[in-house]
Amino acid sequence: PSKISGVLFLSLPKISFDLAEYTADVDGVGTLRLLDAIKTCGLINSVKFYQASTSELFGKVQEIPQKETTPFYPRSPYGAAKLYAYWIVVNFREAYNLFAVNGILFNHESPRRGANFVTRKISRSVAKIHLGQLDCFSLGNLDAKRDWGHARDYVEAMWLMLQTDEPEDFVIATGEVHSVREFVEKSFKHIGKTIVWEGKNENEVGRCKETGKIHVTVNHKYYRPTEVDFLQGDCTKARQKLNWKPRVTFDELVREMVDADVELMRNNPNA
């Protein structure tokens, strides 16, 4: 396997508005520090560097779907910091002939996803409701649409990028788009509940058709100051050059996350 240097990065766009300077230091300058260390230590010819880039670079999307040549338009301090990281990787690659690549990965989820991410927040909350440990939870923009894949597939793509003869940047995505609302509906469906939506905007609620109980509410505090409404990736280049394609479907991803959290909460309700 290739030697890989990675970046421990803050990856929550919403939180990055509250921690803007820290985000720039970690996600932007942090990448530079690692690249500079490789150069300073004389490791240019022995290290392969993978930068965890992001679909948040596209932000206010300039074309649909988004591919490697789509203009960037980040909409958060996180996206802006990752834009710097993207270009400094390109700069070191071209200036010093370092094998450095940007993996522009769209949202990739799994049962290991952090609890602050919307997908894991949904799966954890649905699991708690299923087990009678919770009645209701709040979300932000239900109509935000994302290209969600499974982290297992995407990590394989990361590895494949580092096995190529020449370093190149790749978009990794499924090409499918689903809303937060749909993720909620499918999560509840998996535990035998049908969510019916009532009201509009901040007054909208998700009610269980079978019991009449409200399980989902909307809270404006979870909205971003500048929203990213729609992300859809085009991974044609990865399919052609890496022979990569996603294997796990959206429905399978949702079921796996809910099942894992039901098991987790059953064994440890305080997890």
Side-chain angles (χ1 to χ4, degrees):
S2 305
K3 294 180 181 178
I4 306 172
S5 292
V7 183
L8 177 63
F9 54 90
L10 177 74
S11 56
L12 287 161
K14 173 65 172 70
I15 292 176
S16 76
F17 283 96
D18 300 323
L19 299 170
E21 182 181 359
Y22 174 76
T23 301
D25 189 37
V26 175
D27 289 334
V29 183
T31 304
L32 172 61
R33 292 188 186 106
L34 288 172
L35 291 167
D36 200 41
I38 293 171
K39 179 172 72 74
T40 302
C41 294
L43 299 174
I44 290 290
N45 296 321
S46 59
V47 167
K48 289 186 174 182
F49 185 91
Y50 173 83
Q51 157 64 11
S53 199
T54 171
S55 58
E56 291 287 330
L57 293 179
F58 299 118
K60 188 176 180 180
V61 298
Q62 302 300 291
E63 67 175 342
I64 297 174
Q66 298 89 54
K67 51 185 181 290
E68 290 80 5
T69 56
T70 301
F72 298 134
Y73 197 142
R75 295 269 282 175
S76 67
Y78 169 72
K82 296 296 270 188
L83 183 61
Y84 175 85
Y86 173 92
W87 282 115
I88 201 64
V89 165
V90 172
N91 183 250
F92 268 66
R93 182 170 69 213
E94 295 178 350
Y96 304 111
N97 200 31
L98 171 66
F99 194 112
V101 299
N102 288 292
I104 308 175
L105 272 55
F106 281 63
N107 294 62
H108 41 293
E109 317 296 320
S110 84
R112 298 184 179 187
R113 192 55 139 158
N116 285 327
F117 288 83
V118 67
T119 50
R120 187 72 195 288
K121 180 177 182 179
I122 293 168
S123 64
R124 284 170 59 92
S125 299
V126 169
K128 283 179 173 288
I129 289 171
H130 179 61
L131 296 171
Q133 300 168 1
L134 183 73
D135 290 325
C136 185
F137 64 101
S138 297
L139 295 171
N141 183 7
L142 295 171
D143 294 314
K145 295 180 173 62
R146 293 291 184 271
D147 185 329
W148 276 304
H150 198 294
R152 183 168 57 245
D153 289 338
Y154 286 43
V155 170
E156 179 191 21
M158 297 177 192
W159 183 81
L160 288 170
M161 288 179 218
L162 294 166
Q163 311 313 309
T164 59
D165 293 331
E166 298 294 330
E168 294 185 69
D169 305 323
F170 289 90
V171 162
I172 302 298
T174 70
E176 292 185 14
V177 176
H178 301 274
S179 66
V180 173
R181 186 187 302 275
E182 187 177 352
F183 202 105
V184 170
E185 292 168 352
K186 287 184 178 293
S187 297
F188 274 106
K189 183 178 180 181
H190 187 53
I191 63 166
K193 290 180 178 288
T194 305
I195 292 297
V196 178
W197 302 102
E198 301 173 358
K200 292 183 178 180
N201 302 322
E202 291 180 41
N203 295 317
E204 188 169 11
V205 298
R207 188 184 300 275
C208 176
K209 181 179 178 181
E210 289 77 16
T211 66
K213 292 183 179 179
I214 292 176
H215 289 316
V216 186
T217 61
V218 173
N219 192 320
H220 193 266
K221 75 177 183 179
Y222 296 121
Y223 279 70
R224 303 183 192 182
T226 45
E227 186 60 75
V228 174
D229 296 312
F230 186 98
L231 292 173
Q232 180 182 18
D234 179 354
C235 66
T236 299
K237 181 180 176 182
R239 287 177 180 270
Q240 294 175 345
K241 292 197 171 186
L242 302 178
N243 195 29
W244 177 87
K245 64 179 180 180
R247 297 185 179 92
V248 182
T249 67
F250 178 71
D251 285 4
E252 289 169 340
L253 170 65
V254 173
R255 289 196 297 268
E256 180 181 334
M257 291 183 68
V258 172
D259 284 342
D261 275 327
V262 167
E263 187 66 20
L264 175 65
M265 298 308 167
R266 180 178 284 127
N267 294 327
N268 182 9
N270 296 318

